[in-house]
Amino acid sequence: DWHRWLPINIYSLGGASWVLAMMFWPVTAMLVVGSLMRLDREMIDAASEQSGIRFLIKVLVPFACPSLGLAYAITFVLALNQFPIPTILQVKVYSAEVWLRFNTTFDHWGALAVSWPLVLGPRAWLRCMSSRSWPWPWRADADTNCVFRRQLGSPLLRVVCM
């Protein structure tokens, strides 16, 4: 019985959200790790009086906020256009309703007419994001990693690296 391990009704909006979150968490993780890899040793040394949770809240979170915003936008667009998981879990979502209209009644033009948010939302987001440059680090400096681990602290590092 899996309810002992996971006390959640998977056939609900919360369960579908949990499955989608488990599906799209690598997008957020990749973008946040990429932004944190851009930290210089000098930036970490400048916050030498901060350590542990204060280092996380006052230095790392503000540095990762732009990447978190980008990750939110990408995840939202991917989840908006995802209809198989909510449909299998019998949760009514907008994209599944558009698909059912298209697939069951063969109302192609009606489905296209109501699906404009599914088309224009990602297109507008792509237009806004295409003008920005997103630097991505190719490799992390080993010296920066040591200073980063020292500032974060052993207990918090274990929680973060799980």
Side-chain angles (χ1 to χ4, degrees), residues 31-32 64-75 125 129 132 134:
L31 289 169
V32 169
C65 273
S67 295
L68 284 172
L70 178 64
Y72 171 76
I74 291 172
T75 304
W125 174 80
M129 292 296 137
R132 298 179 71 180
W134 300 99

Side-chain angles (χ1 to χ4, degrees), residues 56-127:
L56 181 72
I57 292 172
K58 296 199 179 226
V59 177
L60 298 183
V61 171
F63 196 78
C65 273
S67 295
L68 284 172
L70 178 64
Y72 171 76
I74 291 172
T75 304
F76 179 76
V77 168
L78 290 173
L80 180 68
N81 289 304
Q82 178 66 254
F83 68 89
I85 290 173
T87 302
I88 290 169
L89 296 176
Q90 301 173 359
V91 175
K92 291 187 180 236
V93 294
Y94 184 71
S95 57
E97 294 299 320
V98 171
W99 174 251
L100 285 174
R101 179 179 236 179
F102 171 75
N103 202 23
T104 57
T105 63
F106 300 111
D107 184 11
H108 304 271
W109 294 109
L112 184 64
V114 298
S115 68
W116 64 268
L118 298 174
V119 175
L120 293 180
R123 186 177 173 107
W125 174 80
L126 186 62
R127 175 150 300 175

Side-chain angles (χ1 to χ4, degrees), residues 36-45 55 139-151:
L36 294 179
M37 286 175 64
R38 291 183 309 185
L39 279 169
D40 294 336
R41 180 186 170 93
E42 292 81 24
M43 293 173 77
I44 298 172
D45 282 337
F55 178 70
R139 61 183 146 248
D141 185 15
D143 193 34
T144 304
N145 287 342
C146 293
V147 174
F148 181 74
R149 287 184 177 155
R150 183 191 72 219
Q151 288 297 111

